[in-house]
Amino acid sequence: MPRCKERLARAAASSYVVGVDVGSTTLRCHVFDKKAAVRGSSSKKVETLYPHLGWVELDPEVLWTQFMDVIKEAVQAAGLQMNQIAGLGISTQRGTFITWNKKTGKPFHNFISWQDLRAADLVNSWNRGLMLKVQQAANESNCCFGTIDTWLLYKLTKGSVYATDYSNASSTGVFDPFQMCWSSVLSKLFSIPMSIYPPVEDTNHSFGSVDAEIFGEPIPIVALVADQQAAMFGECCFHEGDVKLTMGTGIFWDVNTGNHLHTPSAGLYPLIGWKIGKEVVFLAEGNASDAGSTIKWAKELDLFTSVDETARMARSVVDSEGVCFVPSFSGLQVPVNDPCACASFMGLKPSTTRNHLIRAMLESIAFRNKQLYDTIVKEVRVPLTNIRADGGVSNNSFIMQMTSDLINKKIDKPVNTDMSCLGAAFLAGLALGFWTDKEQLKKLRRTEIVFEPQRDFGEYKLAMDNWTKAVQRSLNWYNQTSY
């Protein structure tokens, strides 16, 4: 029986598909049934390394172990066996790179996270030493390069499949979205041999099967997708002008620009959302690195006990009493674009309480949303339609309501906020015939609440003006050579 028919037969016999999301702070796995209901889940905290100021890394072998564990645990939590899983879709954090030995699969170094700031000083001794090692392996045709998805695929298939998809490739900065191929110009500029790049496939594609020795069953791998693109697909933002706001570790605003590739001017960057057969969907994206990371930091300082109480704490005071927080643990991105900005509290007084601090922190996330939204309106020449939110921070009603007020738009939050998992599962399910088309997927997405504007922007103007001043005073705090 041809492989395509085998997959369809398996999908028909199975009632479940698995979506995995390798996020920046959490690794999640959900088992979905045909109604897109979660039947089993597992999650683990991603172990992040900070070897130097501005450096953010992940240990590949630890990540691999966690990745396998969450899949096994989610399937077990669903009360299922591996042979009941029709297929696997994998979403991974973008812009996180690694090179590895082609023969052994052993990485040359830790994953370099998208939050890492060492690019602010590219010519440092560590990078030079690494490039010599990589260059030698490349000259011997023994070097592979990729993002997390590429390496996980390589590991899952025990080295038999080396590939990525268009959404992940477009996020590397060395892929030409106009020509839909790796950029030979940029590769020459950065002295990167073209031989180390993986082949690029459709976002939902038959990437092979998990080696049977890993899970005891050769589960088809039928979708690789970058995290924000996965969330966009999970939110069913299929039409030009649809907007997705993800608030996880960072903030990501994405706009579906249809078959038009966005040309950057004010800081938004173009991406390939997904490629399915002849359909290619482009996105324009703006991001801020710190949202959930800010709340996580505050919790580690014991400013609150449970994340659920932060919205109540913020509402318990009339305002922040002039306290401003700048969320810049990883610099400030669009529209400020300063990797050397520092995180800071300003306007502290003897009367400042924990509630004022928490309110200032939550307000800062909403203010960053306002900045990013205004940039999108200014730069993207596509009428904006639906705005849909997801990610763990979208469960914070204070941030959501304030964001709706600031941008004067409705924001739709779904029941399931783990949209990257769902998007990966949707893509896998379409490839398998588990679900028939996008119209069916739209019916499976469920809204929990729609936030509507309740206050005029003028009521926030003084607070945002003060916050903007605080941002200006946080700029260029660190010297670039610190990284």
Side-chain angles (χ1 to χ4, degrees):
M1 184 185 291
R3 187 172 298 176
C4 181
K5 290 185 178 180
E6 285 181 6
R7 292 202 316 274
L8 293 174
R10 183 184 181 112
S14 306
S15 300
Y16 308 95
V17 66
V18 169
V20 188
D21 174 36
V22 184
S24 302
T25 55
T26 306
L27 201 159
R28 295 183 179 86
C29 179
H30 294 319
V31 178
F32 297 94
D33 63 19
K34 290 195 174 181
K35 293 182 179 179
V38 176
R39 299 299 294 270
S41 299
S42 178
S43 66
K44 292 187 181 297
K45 179 183 176 183
V46 173
E47 296 185 22
T48 308
L49 307 175
Y50 302 94
H52 298 286
L53 177 66
W55 292 28
V56 187
E57 300 180 355
L58 306 174
D59 185 316
E61 298 303 338
V62 171
L63 189 70
W64 168 244
T65 300
Q66 292 182 315
F67 178 81
M68 290 191 294
D69 286 346
V70 293
I71 294 176
K72 292 175 185 176
E73 291 169 6
V75 173
Q76 184 178 18
L80 303 173
Q81 301 296 320
M82 286 294 178
N83 60 6
Q84 293 176 273
I85 304 301
L88 175 64
I90 304 171
S91 162
T92 53
Q93 53 175 290
R94 308 169 328 206
T96 298
F97 307 115
I98 195 167
T99 50
W100 68 92
N101 186 291
K102 189 174 184 180
K103 294 176 183 176
T104 67
K106 186 176 180 180
F108 289 118
H109 55 91
N110 284 338
F111 278 112
I112 308 300
S113 170
W114 62 273
Q115 297 168 295
D116 195 280
L117 296 177
R118 76 189 71 182
D121 185 20
L122 284 171
V123 194
N124 59 49
S125 59
W126 188 91
N127 277 337
R128 283 199 297 269
L130 171 63
M131 285 309 298
L132 288 173
K133 192 185 220 181
V134 170
Q135 188 67 53
Q136 181 179 350
N139 292 340
E140 296 169 355
S141 299
N142 193 28
C143 178
C144 294
F145 163 84
T147 46
I148 291 179
D149 66 299
T150 318
W151 188 72
L152 288 176
L153 178 65
Y154 195 83
K155 293 278 284 184
L156 286 169
T157 60
K158 293 207 169 172
S160 66
V161 182
Y162 177 48
T164 189
D165 93 295
Y166 283 91
S167 68
N168 278 292
S170 74
S171 307
T172 62
V174 287
F175 187 85
D176 185 343
F178 292 95
Q179 300 296 323
M180 297 292 283
C181 64
W182 297 108
S183 172
S184 58
V185 174
L186 289 175
S187 296
K188 288 179 181 177
L189 180 64
F190 298 122
S191 301
I192 301 173
M194 295 289 288
S195 61
I196 73 171
Y197 295 128
V200 185
E201 306 288 356
D202 281 9
T203 306
N204 65 348
H205 170 79
S206 179
F207 288 96
S209 295
V210 178
D211 189 279
E213 290 185 4
I214 295 177
F215 296 128
E217 187 72 23
I219 302 171
I221 305 166
V222 285
L224 294 181
V225 58
D227 51 3
Q228 300 310 316
Q229 290 93 320
M232 195 81 171
F233 204 89
E235 287 278 26
C236 298
C237 290
F238 301 140
H239 304 291
E240 188 173 307
D242 282 349
V243 180
K244 184 266 315 170
L245 163 59
T246 294
M247 291 185 288
T249 299
I251 298 170
F252 292 85
W253 283 80
D254 291 87
V255 184
N256 184 326
T257 59
N259 58 7
H260 305 291
L261 188 62
H262 171 71
T263 303
S265 60
L268 302 181
Y269 41 90
L271 294 168
I272 297 172
W274 53 83
K275 182 179 183 297
I276 303 174
K278 294 182 179 179
E279 178 194 31
V280 180
V281 171
F282 294 102
L283 310 179
E285 181 177 276
N287 83 291
S289 290
D290 295 297
S293 56
T294 294
I295 296 173
K296 176 174 175 283
W297 173 75
K299 187 175 188 301
E300 290 173 348
L301 290 182
D302 293 326
L303 290 180
F304 56 86
T305 304
S306 169
V307 173
D308 296 336
E309 65 183 310
T310 56
R312 178 191 58 78
M313 292 173 69
R315 291 194 181 99
S316 71
V317 290
V318 177
D319 53 38
S320 68
E321 205 180 50
V323 176
C324 296
F325 178 74
V326 180
S328 181
F329 293 109
S330 301
L332 290 171
Q333 294 72 41
V334 180
V336 183
N337 298 315
D338 183 1
C340 298
C342 68
S344 58
F345 274 113
M346 296 188 191
L348 297 174
K349 307 172 186 66
S351 58
T352 299
T353 66
R354 286 192 306 162
N355 293 340
H356 292 122
L357 297 178
I358 293 300
R359 181 168 180 127
M361 296 178 83
L362 301 191
E363 285 182 346
S364 74
I365 295 172
F367 289 149
R368 286 295 279 135
N369 279 334
K370 168 66 172 172
Q371 283 186 325
L372 287 162
Y373 178 79
D374 287 350
T375 303
I376 288 170
V377 171
K378 176 182 177 181
E379 187 171 335
V380 177
R381 305 302 180 192
V382 173
L384 306 183
T385 52
N386 303 305
I387 300 178
R388 295 171 176 171
D390 59 81
V393 180
S394 71
N395 292 314
N396 189 294
S397 59
F398 180 89
I399 294 174
M400 291 297 296
Q401 185 57 59
M402 187 172 175
T403 299
S404 176
D405 292 343
L406 288 170
I407 68 174
N408 194 34
K409 294 290 181 182
K410 295 179 181 180
I411 305 176
D412 180 317
K413 187 182 87 71
V415 172
N416 179 2
T417 58
D418 289 342
M419 276 297 155
S420 293
C421 275
L422 182 60
F426 274 173
L427 284 157
L430 287 179
L432 292 162
F434 192 82
W435 291 300
T436 54
D437 54 34
K438 292 176 185 173
E439 292 305 311
Q440 183 183 8
L441 299 184
K442 289 179 187 177
K443 295 174 183 177
L444 295 174
R445 183 193 176 277
R446 293 177 294 156
T447 295
E448 179 182 75
I449 184 173
V450 175
F451 290 88
E452 300 188 31
Q454 294 180 358
R455 298 173 61 185
D456 184 77
F457 172 72
E459 296 182 52
Y460 296 100
K461 188 176 185 305
L462 178 61
M464 189 161 183
D465 285 348
N466 286 336
W467 178 81
T468 302
K469 291 178 185 176
V471 169
Q472 291 300 312
R473 294 182 181 184
S474 297
L475 300 183
N476 200 33
W477 183 267
Y478 299 110
N479 189 301
Q480 287 193 4
T481 56
S482 300
Y483 304 122

